Amino acid sequence: MDDIANSVSDSCFPQIIPNITFQTVNNKCIVIVEVYPGFSRPYYLKSEGKVQGTYVRVGGTTRPADAMKIKELELEGMNLSWDEQICIGYPVEAETVKKLCDDITKYMLEAAVSEEEKRMVKPVTEQQLLNWKILKKTESQLAATNAFVLMTGEHFPFAKIQCALFKGTDRDIFIDKKEYGGPLYKQIESAYQFVLRHIDLSAEIEGIVRKDAYELPIGAIREMIVNAVCHRNYLDNACVQVAIYDDRLEVTSPGMLYGGLTLEEAMSGRSKIRNRGVAEVLSRMEIIEEWGTGIRRIVKRAAEYSLPEPEFLEIGDSFRVNLYRYTSEKPIKADKKPIKLERERMILQYIEEHESITNKEARELLGLAESTTKRILKDLVKQGVLCEQGERKLRKYYLA
């Protein structure tokens, strides 16, 4: 036992002191070596050095850590969050700061249930962004953190969500695909709407009230996307991916579970925040509710819909959630009529708020191709719901 303790201590840096005990099992002495997660990461083999001698567990295998993973371990060891670090050279403009403050305030107001709660919401200020470490002051000047950049622009090329609808149950034939960039909270909403456009929507009549219901719990859909965006590793050169198949909704997030967290611990509700600044803003916006409850909420919503139990997987250096649809002998096909009605409703609501809509505005609203958007608008004109004015690119549609 002493030899094992000395070998571990002499071979690794920073020093690791294992807990070594023994038990007698079937008249045999079994030596038990336990190594608990440490805070001075990364730990590596002295003989190989930090770059070559740092290893990570991926599933049931041990692999050399790449430069990106070592960087994340170093930040973790210093109790630093990458998104709270200053983004060198990124300008902080007053208009951008105001826009972010206004958007956070808007989300807070929308989340307030009663008029009394709305009155209690105070406009978010620049000082609050400083308190939340979204902005920092250096030599009396404002500096942008990576969290501020993620919430206001498209500076990081892989900080995006890729969405796709596939035919069948594997990644072979695309039916539709979109890529969303920009502020994270807008990405989340766009990806969420993409999923809703491509899953079944049914209607039930209760008395004189019509109730629309999607085939998958919308709370679980949003939770899957929000968790992927909030907890992903932004040092990883990969995008969050949202994929819809005939049998499931699949959301994949770059980065393994953070801080030595195991899948079993995550399932039990334990959480470690990888991106503290991003989580802070999304929490203030009420986009995430309580840290650590996301996985259990997904499981609960699926159970309420009598769906198969969701699947949570660590695949390589990424994390994946599968929410399964109702199974049947034939592949599930979306009911086109409810989807069409939902798209028309979105257009009419936009016109009520903005008086008119162009093909480009409708295309961005629905996330569809120009030809498809034009066909929907023309159908509404034929139905007598809309009227059109202007030629080609200048054409606008109004309520008839």
Side-chain angles (χ1 to χ4, degrees), residues 1 4 20-32:
M1 290 167 64
I4 292 172
I20 303 177
T21 57
F22 70 89
Q23 290 183 8
T24 301
V25 180
N26 295 332
N27 296 319
K28 293 182 179 179
C29 181
I30 306 299
V31 179
I32 301 169

Side-chain angles (χ1 to χ4, degrees), residues 315-362:
I315 301 176
D317 56 356
S318 62
F319 189 77
R320 177 173 293 171
V321 183
N322 286 321
L323 180 62
Y324 286 93
R325 306 168 79 171
Y326 288 108
T327 56
S328 61
E329 293 182 1
K330 295 181 179 179
I332 296 174
K333 294 183 179 179
D335 183 351
K336 298 299 183 183
K337 187 175 180 181
I339 292 175
K340 179 176 182 290
L341 291 173
E342 174 64 14
R343 289 169 176 171
E344 291 177 350
R345 184 195 65 78
M346 291 171 66
I347 289 172
L348 297 178
Q349 183 177 346
Y350 184 94
I351 296 175
E352 287 177 357
E353 295 175 359
H354 301 85
E355 295 187 357
S356 66
I357 194 168
T358 64
N359 183 283
K360 181 181 177 182
E361 290 168 341

Side-chain angles (χ1 to χ4, degrees), residues 173-306:
I173 302 174
F174 282 99
I175 296 176
D176 189 17
K177 59 180 177 178
K178 292 287 184 295
E179 185 173 276
Y180 301 106
L184 294 187
Y185 52 94
K186 293 186 177 180
Q187 290 185 35
I188 291 169
E189 186 60 33
S190 297
Y192 172 68
Q193 293 297 334
F194 179 92
V195 174
L196 295 190
R197 287 197 297 271
H198 292 299
I199 62 175
D200 291 345
L201 174 66
S202 61
E204 295 180 357
I205 304 298
E206 292 186 6
I208 60 172
V209 179
R210 171 194 166 111
K211 293 185 69 176
D212 292 330
Y214 288 96
E215 61 164 301
L216 296 175
I218 58 175
I221 296 170
R222 180 175 285 276
E223 197 72 39
M224 289 165 65
I225 297 170
V226 170
N227 282 353
V229 169
C230 182
H231 300 301
R232 66 155 290 178
N233 181 3
Y234 284 97
L235 289 168
D236 197 328
N237 293 338
C239 300
V240 170
Q241 292 188 329
V242 177
I244 306 169
Y245 303 91
D246 285 348
D247 65 340
R248 70 193 185 280
L249 168 65
E250 175 189 279
V251 178
T252 306
S253 176
M256 298 179 289
L257 290 172
Y258 180 69
L261 191 69
T262 66
L263 187 55
E264 291 74 20
E265 290 172 333
M267 294 286 288
S268 68
R270 191 179 177 200
S271 177
K272 289 190 177 181
I273 305 301
R274 176 182 265 121
N275 304 300
R276 295 197 288 251
V278 169
E280 183 69 52
V281 174
L282 295 182
S283 177
R284 299 285 177 175
M285 289 176 146
E286 302 285 347
I287 292 175
I288 58 174
E289 295 181 15
E290 298 176 39
W291 297 350
T293 61
I295 288 180
R296 288 185 293 179
R297 192 177 293 116
I298 294 168
V299 172
K300 184 178 179 181
R301 297 294 175 266
E304 290 171 353
Y305 269 58
S306 300

Side-chain angles (χ1 to χ4, degrees), residues 90-134:
Y90 192 88
V92 178
E93 298 174 352
E95 295 174 359
T96 308
V97 173
K98 185 178 184 305
K99 176 71 166 57
L100 179 57
C101 290
D102 290 346
D103 282 354
I104 297 173
T105 305
K106 177 185 173 183
Y107 272 77
M108 293 168 67
L109 286 169
E110 290 175 350
V113 178
S114 64
E115 289 300 320
E116 183 178 354
E117 288 180 356
K118 290 182 185 294
R119 286 193 294 271
M120 292 176 65
V121 174
K122 304 297 181 185
V124 174
T125 64
E126 178 185 294
Q127 183 58 50
Q128 285 172 292
L129 297 184
L130 287 165
N131 295 342
W132 300 338
K133 298 182 180 179
I134 308 303

Side-chain angles (χ1 to χ4, degrees), residues 44-57:
Y44 56 91
L45 294 175
K46 289 181 182 178
S47 60
E48 297 183 19
K50 183 191 292 186
V51 176
Q52 301 296 329
T54 303
Y55 292 84
V56 292
R57 292 290 288 175

Side-chain angles (χ1 to χ4, degrees), residues 8 16-19 33-38:
V8 172
I16 296 173
I17 303 176
N19 180 39
V33 182
E34 293 180 281
V35 180
Y36 299 104

